[in-house]
Amino acid sequence: ANPFGVPMEIERAVCPDGRPGVRARIRFGHVHEGPPHGVHGGIVAAVFDDLLGHAQHMHGAQALTATLTVRYRSVTPIDEELEVFARVEQSAGRRWIGKAWCCFGEAVTAEAEALFVGVDLGAMVRT
């Protein structure tokens, strides 16, 4: 819904390893370009953060990102159909760990791991 966000449709899915998670099909445009013909790494990280949030929300959690580590394996191409997957790996108390990855065909272009910490979003106040 963010006018500056990356347009994508997010759906519940079975990840390639058979575990439940979420998937987004996405096509980045030239406005998202970083290296020649590739998506800017910050945009890839933002998409991972968003999808990982959706994955933990499937479990009823209200949590915010504490850490996000991204590993860029190759250039993520612009103007190509991509699939991005995310899932919860484990949870304990207020801590949720998730993994995500971006696929161009059979190739994984980037992957991420994140730690989310549960919060009471209703109790958060502006200062």
Side-chain angles (χ1 to χ4, degrees), residues 2-124:
N2 185 324
F4 298 106
V6 177
M8 64 181 143
E9 292 183 26
I10 301 168
E11 62 186 5
R12 289 178 182 249
V14 175
C15 295
D17 65 357
R19 296 174 63 183
V22 294
R23 173 181 61 195
R25 290 191 176 104
I26 189 167
R27 179 185 285 263
F28 292 101
H30 289 279
V31 68
H32 305 115
E33 189 172 32
H37 311 290
V39 180
H40 188 284
I43 300 295
V44 173
V47 167
F48 282 152
D49 186 50
D50 191 31
L51 278 177
L52 285 159
H54 281 277
Q56 55 88 16
H57 186 70
M58 281 179 31
H59 296 273
Q62 289 188 340
L64 299 177
T65 309
T67 63
L68 176 67
T69 302
V70 180
R71 180 175 170 226
Y72 301 97
R73 296 175 65 176
S74 64
V75 172
T76 299
I78 58 171
D79 289 329
E80 297 287 353
E81 291 295 324
L82 305 167
E83 283 188 303
V84 184
F85 295 91
R87 68 166 183 254
V88 170
E89 288 288 302
Q90 63 186 33
S91 64
R94 294 178 35 215
R95 297 170 59 92
W96 296 78
I97 295 175
K99 289 195 176 182
W101 57 100
C102 179
C103 299
F104 174 50
E106 297 294 317
V108 175
T109 64
E111 55 196 1
E113 183 170 301
L115 169 64
F116 289 85
V117 177
V119 295
D120 180 357
L121 296 176
M124 295 178 74

